[in-house]
Amino acid sequence: MNSDSLSKLLQKWPNVPDVFNWLSLDRRGIWRIKGSPITNPTMVNAINSSYFCDVDGSWFFQNGPQKVFVTLDYTPYVIFAHRASGELKLKTQNGIEIKKIDEIYLDSDLNFLITWDGRLGIVSDRDLQILIDGMSFSHQGKSISLENVIETDTKRLSVTFWNHEAKVTKVTREYLLKKFNIRSDPAPRPGQPDC
């Protein structure tokens, strides 16, 4: 929906209440309504193409004049990985291709998260092996195994990642949500109607 169309809808229906606790995004990139997976491709495409963030860090689907806020299992993006012509390709659940990785995070639950263009996404657990197969870790110039990465107290390591250099930082979920201003469970403000 373009901004002109949205402006006209908001003028026509200025007081449509926001929706909370209906729509969610799980860790595998599946959109859900009240816990049930959305399987209609047209609906999934509509959500993916009208998925935004407000200044408070709450993510929502702009459904005409109405904002349908999204409860996130973790991050606003879930990253899928696949190999193509010997290269790693990364794409989010809503079709954003990740061209350049800024940083990789490993949280205390052993989730791999990637940042690009100021965005944060969790790597789908189903694609984690593809990602790991293309990684080699080092600390202070010495190669170390993934098991040693997990066990070490060192918070920041280097990784060669499918022919790219990156840093891996070990963090907590809370740290990431705060750093990237992500509200995983948006709620109405006091006095705000909820539909």
Side-chain angles (χ1 to χ4, degrees):
M1 173 177 300
N2 66 40
S3 59
D4 289 339
S5 298
L6 181 57
S7 294
K8 288 177 185 174
L9 283 173
L10 291 174
Q11 287 173 0
K12 190 172 181 179
W13 293 294
N15 298 316
V16 177
D18 296 335
V19 176
F20 295 88
N21 302 313
W22 277 76
L23 184 63
S24 62
L25 178 66
D26 73 16
R27 296 182 112 146
R28 290 189 166 165
I30 298 171
W31 293 106
R32 296 177 175 273
I33 292 181
K34 289 289 190 179
S36 296
I38 300 172
T39 56
N40 181 309
T42 303
M43 186 65 194
V44 170
N45 289 337
I47 295 169
N48 285 338
S49 65
S50 297
Y51 183 50
F52 305 102
C53 183
D54 69 11
V55 295
D56 294 332
S58 296
W59 288 79
F60 62 92
F61 160 50
Q62 187 71 53
N63 184 27
Q66 186 172 55
K67 289 182 180 177
V68 180
F69 284 89
V70 178
T71 301
L72 304 169
D73 271 5
Y74 199 148
T75 64
Y77 298 103
V78 177
I79 300 169
F80 301 107
H82 71 276
R83 292 183 191 117
S85 303
E87 290 186 22
L88 178 70
K89 301 289 184 182
L90 301 172
K91 188 183 276 193
T92 66
Q93 85 282 351
N94 61 334
I96 298 171
E97 287 188 42
I98 301 170
K99 303 281 187 193
K100 182 182 180 302
I101 295 166
D102 296 327
E103 191 160 11
I104 300 170
Y105 292 97
L106 178 64
D107 76 6
S108 49
D109 293 323
L110 305 181
N111 293 300
F112 275 88
L113 300 105
I114 292 175
T115 64
W116 75 101
D117 298 333
R119 300 172 180 168
L120 174 71
I122 187 169
V123 176
S124 170
D125 62 341
R126 293 179 178 169
D127 296 348
L128 202 49
Q129 193 61 53
I130 295 169
L131 186 78
I132 292 170
D133 287 347
M135 292 180 147
S136 60
F137 299 93
S138 63
H139 177 59
Q140 298 176 340
K142 295 181 181 174
S143 180
I144 60 173
S145 68
L146 178 58
E147 292 78 19
N148 287 336
V149 169
I150 292 166
E151 292 171 6
T152 184
D153 289 334
T154 304
K155 299 286 185 211
R156 197 161 169 93
L157 305 153
S158 297
V159 62
T160 302
F161 180 81
W162 289 86
N163 299 320
H164 300 281
E165 296 293 321
K167 297 291 181 196
V168 176
T169 306
K170 293 168 63 176
V171 295
T172 63
R173 173 188 169 119
E174 294 74 23
Y175 170 84
L176 287 173
L177 295 180
K178 184 175 181 180
K179 176 179 171 104
F180 288 91
N181 188 33
I182 297 169
R183 288 183 64 199
S184 59
D185 195 15
R189 292 179 188 86
Q192 180 184 14
D194 175 17
C195 157

